[in-house]
Amino acid sequence: MKKRPITSVDVAVVDIWNRELGQLSSRNFAHRLSASQDLVLRLDILRKLEKHRGCVNTVSFNEDGDILVTGSDDRKVILWDWENGHTKLSFHSGHTNNVFQAKIMPHSDDRSIVTCAAEGQVRQAQILENGGVETKLLGKHEGRAHKLAIEPGSPHIFYTCGEDGLVQHFDLRTGAATRLFTCQPIKDRWDFRPVIHLNAITIDPRNPNLFAVAGDDEYARLYDIRKYKWDGSNEFGQPTDFFCPPHLVGDDRVGITGLAFSEQRELLLSYNDEFIYLFTQDMGLGPNPHPGSPVSPVSMNSDASEIGVSHGSEASPSHIESDDKTIPQVFKGHRNCETVKGVNFFGPKCEYVVSGSDCGRIFIWRKKDGQLIRVMEADKHVVNCIESHPHTIVLASSGIEHDIKIWTPKALQKAILPKNIEQKGLMFDQIRWYDDDDDDDDYDDDLFENEYDMFGDDDDDNDDDDTDDDDDDETDDCDDCDDETDDDDNNGGGDDDNTDDNGNNDNFGGGCNDANC
């Protein structure tokens, strides 16, 4: 007699039975339920949060998960009651260019928000008892500051990185910004590349002393803050470990746009015009990796991408014999070429990997085997940000469109994976990580010429007519967003009527002025 295959319903019934018998704790039952692939296949848009008037570049839940904070090209930060779709608070960030990241500090009663932006500023917004907001300048990068990372559980400490290669440490108790180091390329590239333009930074949740950074070369670098001497008596720029897939070592045409640590201390790397890779702790190359020629992905038993182009050269025998333990899990099918995209884990124990794509879709893979299980239409253009809820199976996503989409497992029917993952008729050019022009300032290159050219053109075309006048020749991530931005958005950072959308005084204490801009 032919046995009926076991379904997710069968597994759920057994779990409920074991819970009732006391053989499965309520906590483990909740985790198993939340991690169910059946729920992932039922993810659908619960609602769209619409108030921003520019591309939404950052979405982040607070520690409890009841508030979502977002930032945009319109320079505003909004706190949402995402479950009901209501705005709790909206205020101007004090930045003079696109807000790239905004996060709520833990254990701050959701009143302390830190931000970084395209003009390089790092700021703090403090929500007052009367509902007003004060913002102040904490520090600055010479170039765009893409990401910040908060020390897990700390209401005071966070790090930032920028295109100047600088990594800074901030302590809100003192307001001090400590310049830890400037990220430099490996030694054989010192002659033609002074710094690594950094796109991403992340902290190990199990060991907050460890943090990783990545940018416009093939390596993710791991650092230990305990090796830093706070009196400045030592050089801290040497990583404790490097991570890179074997076939990309020595490939100067790739870079990393997104990083994430899992609760199991795995490190996730998202490469431009390539794939996503998952590393365990023992897969590092050590503190002094040996540069060499990249290996063809064929030597790693890796199929060619359905969409992307692999940069690997012909395989060399020395690399083909590399230890299998150094080969990371690969996640394929999406397209990461046009913008600085993040990557994230999903599920109560990080059972899934999620990423946006240039085709406007969200991709979800099983972490354990790299199997693509879900593709969701999420944006007419590009999906850049996907944030997982800290406690339940909810996703928030954003991209070139001006809204934020909330995803919950509410669909009656399980989704079926498309047989052919196709582009939406977009033609993609290979990414360039720095301009060919010899500018006087290595850090202030106009890298974002338009929404579909991440790292700029070599020509000197003028910006669009509707680009903001205050951008100081730095164009926005998305030029076509500016024409819908409020005229009273205080693009100068402090010259408006100091009133936010809620009628509160937003006179930015320590805000942008002649003294601190």
Side-chain angles (χ1 to χ4, degrees):
M1 181 178 179
K2 189 175 182 181
K3 293 184 178 180
R4 180 177 63 86
I6 297 175
T7 66
S8 58
V9 175
D10 299 325
V11 175
V13 169
V14 172
D15 284 345
I16 294 173
W17 177 261
N18 287 333
R19 185 192 64 175
E20 294 302 312
L21 293 177
Q23 297 176 359
L24 184 65
S25 69
S26 296
R27 181 178 180 181
N28 287 337
F29 174 78
H31 280 175
R32 288 171 66 97
L33 179 63
S34 297
S36 168
Q37 184 170 316
D38 183 84
L39 294 184
V40 175
L41 296 178
R42 296 180 189 274
L43 285 172
D44 200 359
I45 295 177
L46 172 68
R47 64 173 45 88
K48 299 179 182 179
L49 305 179
E50 299 175 312
K51 188 172 178 63
H52 282 296
R53 300 196 178 185
C55 306
V56 181
N57 306 312
T58 173
V59 293
S60 178
F61 289 99
N62 68 340
E63 196 171 36
D64 291 335
D66 59 334
I67 297 175
L68 183 74
V69 60
T70 61
S72 167
D73 287 4
D74 61 12
R75 286 82 165 174
K76 290 189 176 181
V77 172
I78 299 179
L79 276 64
W80 304 86
D81 176 357
W82 62 268
E83 291 186 82
N84 298 311
H86 299 152
T87 302
K88 296 176 70 71
L89 182 66
S90 174
F91 62 92
H92 195 286
S93 63
H95 289 286
T96 61
N97 213 319
N98 308 343
V99 178
F100 282 166
Q101 186 125 61
K103 286 182 176 290
I104 298 174
M105 297 298 292
H107 306 299
S108 67
D109 197 25
D110 300 324
R111 293 182 179 274
S112 178
I113 302 165
V114 289
T115 59
C116 60
E119 88 283 68
Q121 290 187 10
V122 181
R123 304 183 71 91
Q124 180 193 16
Q126 190 71 38
I127 302 174
L128 307 178
E129 292 292 339
N130 63 6
V133 179
E134 290 183 355
T135 78
K136 61 182 178 181
L137 181 67
L138 299 176
K140 198 174 190 306
H141 288 267
E142 298 298 325
R144 291 172 173 83
H146 283 287
K147 297 294 181 183
L148 58 86
I150 297 173
E151 182 178 291
S154 172
H156 310 296
I157 296 173
F158 68 98
Y159 300 75
T160 64
C161 68
E163 290 180 0
D164 54 0
L166 178 65
V167 176
Q168 298 190 75
H169 174 282
F170 292 86
D171 190 332
L172 296 177
R173 290 168 293 191
T174 62
T178 303
R179 299 165 68 94
L180 296 179
F181 62 91
T182 297
C183 189
Q184 296 182 328
I186 56 177
K187 291 183 179 180
D188 68 329
R189 299 177 189 170
W190 283 359
D191 292 339
F192 63 92
R193 177 181 290 186
V195 299
I196 299 298
H197 303 300
L198 296 177
N199 297 318
I201 182 168
T202 185
I203 299 177
D204 185 343
R206 293 292 184 92
N207 185 356
N209 294 305
L210 303 178
F211 66 92
V213 299
D216 65 346
D217 74 353
E218 70 269 38
Y219 296 107
R221 294 161 169 83
L222 185 70
Y223 295 85
D224 190 335
I225 191 62
R226 292 171 295 188
K227 294 187 176 182
Y228 181 76
K229 301 297 183 184
W230 295 98
D231 59 4
S233 61
N234 71 329
E235 293 290 335
F236 182 62
Q238 178 60 37
T240 61
D241 211 346
F242 285 77
F243 293 87
C244 179
H247 71 287
L248 293 181
V249 172
D251 191 337
D252 60 3
R253 294 171 293 176
V254 299
I256 298 169
T257 65
L259 285 176
F261 265 116
S262 74
E263 293 294 333
Q264 294 79 32
R265 305 185 67 185
E266 301 154 314
L267 185 60
L268 200 58
L269 280 59
S270 180
Y271 282 83
N272 71 284
D273 207 20
E274 240 273 345
F275 307 137
I276 296 170
Y277 296 92
L278 179 72
F279 292 83
T280 56
Q281 287 180 286
D282 60 348
M283 291 183 178
L285 303 176
N288 296 294
H290 298 289
S293 300
V295 187
S296 170
V298 175
S299 67
M300 296 172 57
N301 297 318
S302 173
D303 297 331
S305 170
E306 296 88 345
I307 298 177
V309 178
S310 176
H311 292 149
S313 63
E314 292 299 323
S316 63
S318 62
H319 283 86
I320 291 177
E321 297 173 0
S322 62
D323 193 338
D324 285 344
K325 78 172 186 178
T326 65
I327 298 176
Q329 177 64 59
V330 61
F331 306 90
K332 301 182 295 183
H334 74 306
R335 179 70 167 176
N336 181 12
C337 180
E338 301 301 328
T339 56
V340 179
K341 291 180 188 62
V343 67
N344 222 326
F345 292 96
F346 183 43
K349 294 184 179 180
C350 304
E351 292 87 354
Y352 304 97
V353 170
V354 292
S355 173
S357 175
D358 290 336
C359 62
R361 298 179 174 103
I362 294 172
F363 287 70
I364 304 178
W365 299 266
R366 273 201 311 261
K367 185 182 72 172
K368 64 180 181 180
D369 59 5
Q371 179 67 42
L372 179 65
I373 63 170
R374 189 73 201 274
V375 177
M376 306 185 297
E377 300 283 345
D379 195 283
K380 293 180 181 178
H381 305 287
V382 177
V383 178
N384 291 323
C385 306
I386 304 177
E387 181 77 3
S388 176
H389 190 278
H391 308 301
T392 188
I393 187 161
V394 173
L395 287 175
S397 69
S398 68
I400 299 301
E401 292 181 343
H402 300 176
D403 61 15
I404 304 100
K405 296 174 179 68
I406 303 296
W407 302 81
T408 62
K410 72 182 189 70
L412 298 178
Q413 299 294 327
K414 291 190 291 186
I416 299 175
L417 187 68
K419 293 183 179 180
N420 297 311
I421 310 299
E422 299 176 348
Q423 304 169 9
K424 289 185 175 180
L426 298 177
M427 297 299 293
F428 300 109
D429 295 324
Q430 194 175 73
I431 236 173
R432 282 173 294 132
W433 287 93
Y434 42 84
D435 291 342
D436 295 332
D437 296 327
D438 294 328
D439 296 328
D440 293 334
D441 188 346
D442 290 331
Y443 308 135
D444 290 332
D445 298 333
D446 288 334
L447 300 179
F448 285 76
E449 287 298 326
N450 58 59
E451 68 182 81
Y452 291 120
D453 188 355
M454 179 175 172
F455 293 99
D457 296 324
D458 293 336
D459 57 37
D460 294 322
D461 293 339
N462 294 327
D463 297 337
D464 295 342
D465 293 337
D466 52 3
T467 302
D468 291 340
D469 295 332
D470 61 15
D471 281 351
D472 297 330
D473 297 330
E474 280 192 312
T475 56
D476 294 346
D477 274 340
C478 174
D479 288 342
D480 65 359
C481 299
D482 292 333
D483 58 353
E484 297 184 39
T485 303
D486 289 338
D487 294 332
D488 63 352
D489 268 354
N490 184 17
N491 294 337
D495 297 330
D496 68 352
D497 60 1
N498 293 329
T499 302
D500 66 11
D501 290 355
N502 302 287
N504 297 317
N505 185 316
D506 60 355
N507 184 19
F508 311 120
C512 187
N513 53 46
D514 293 339
N516 58 22
C517 277

